Amino acid sequence: AASVIAKVYRDRILAGLKQRYDIECGSGYLSDYKTQDFLKKHWRTHSFLFRKTWKPYRELCQSTLNQYV
């Protein structure tokens, strides 16, 4: 039951973000190509939407920093 509640809560949060910022960010799961695309395109401009501990976000930030070293 807890996983169903968590999914419903996540879906509501994403729906609110989509409406508030007029964005298509996918489902929030990395297996979703829309989520992958959103992360790659907007990780800087919408960084406040991403969990900083999320591994794909951290890896993208790190790979960008490594380009300048």
Side-chain angles (χ1 to χ4, degrees):
S3 63
V4 173
I5 292 169
K7 184 187 179 325
V8 170
Y9 184 69
R10 172 194 205 102
D11 291 347
R12 287 181 183 168
I13 289 173
L14 285 171
L17 291 173
K18 290 174 186 180
Q19 183 178 14
R20 182 175 182 178
Y21 297 106
D22 193 29
I23 55 174
E24 178 51 58
C25 53
S27 65
Y29 294 101
L30 198 56
S31 59
D32 179 359
Y33 74 92
K34 289 181 182 178
T35 300
Q36 293 172 22
D37 189 51
F38 181 79
L39 174 61
K40 289 174 187 173
K41 288 181 179 176
H42 302 288
W43 69 276
R44 286 185 182 162
T45 58
H46 290 79
S47 64
F48 57 93
L49 296 176
F50 298 104
R51 233 183 26 227
K52 304 309 179 261
T53 58
W54 192 36
K55 187 176 179 180
Y57 178 84
R58 287 192 335 253
E59 288 175 347
L60 190 57
C61 292
Q62 188 63 42
S63 68
T64 301
L65 288 175
N66 289 339
Q67 292 175 5
Y68 299 106
V69 177

